Amino acid sequence: MNNILIINGPNLNLLGEREQSQYGSITFDELKKICLEKSKDLGLKTEFFQSNIEGEIVTIIQEARKKYNGIIINAAGFTHTSVSIRDALAIYKKPIIELH
């Protein structure tokens, strides 16, 4: 079974509360539930991680090298500013989907 890690960056834990006109009304927990259900349908084992702290995201990417077959990441505010996250992703060497 393929193991996938979904990483969410800063403020994504507040989905459904913040700027609903831009981000919608689905909460982070609802989004997580939808993703986990779809993953199960596809035969994937998926885990979620969310942090507002850049270093924690770097560490989880580094640890993912030995645990996961792929990463889906929305680094949120760090997408365009974090050299450290970009470098950790470059070291990962497995499939990565970046979205924002």
Side-chain angles (χ1 to χ4, degrees):
M1 178 177 284
N2 284 320
N3 296 322
I4 305 299
L5 176 63
I6 299 176
I7 302 172
N8 293 278
N11 300 311
L12 292 176
N13 56 310
L14 298 178
L15 288 174
E17 297 178 41
R18 55 180 292 213
E19 296 114 355
Q20 290 186 358
S21 63
Q22 184 172 357
Y23 297 106
S25 60
I26 295 176
T27 67
F28 181 77
D29 287 336
E30 291 169 335
L31 179 63
K32 180 178 175 179
K33 182 180 176 188
I34 291 167
C35 289
L36 292 175
E37 287 173 358
K38 185 63 175 178
S39 294
K40 187 177 178 182
D41 291 345
L42 295 171
L44 301 171
K45 181 180 178 193
T46 303
E47 293 186 35
F48 262 72
F49 176 80
Q50 188 280 324
S51 180
N52 297 317
I53 302 170
E54 182 179 20
E56 288 181 356
I57 295 171
V58 170
T59 298
I60 199 76
I61 294 168
Q62 291 175 353
E63 292 171 353
R65 293 176 301 132
K66 298 177 183 173
K67 295 163 111 176
Y68 300 98
N69 303 103
I71 291 175
I72 299 172
I73 183 169
N74 181 347
F78 293 134
T79 299
H80 304 289
T81 62
S82 178
V83 173
S84 299
I85 291 174
R86 184 196 68 206
D87 287 350
L89 290 170
I91 294 166
Y92 183 68
K93 304 296 184 202
K94 295 179 187 177
I96 300 167
I97 297 172
E98 292 184 67
L99 55 100
H100 185 80

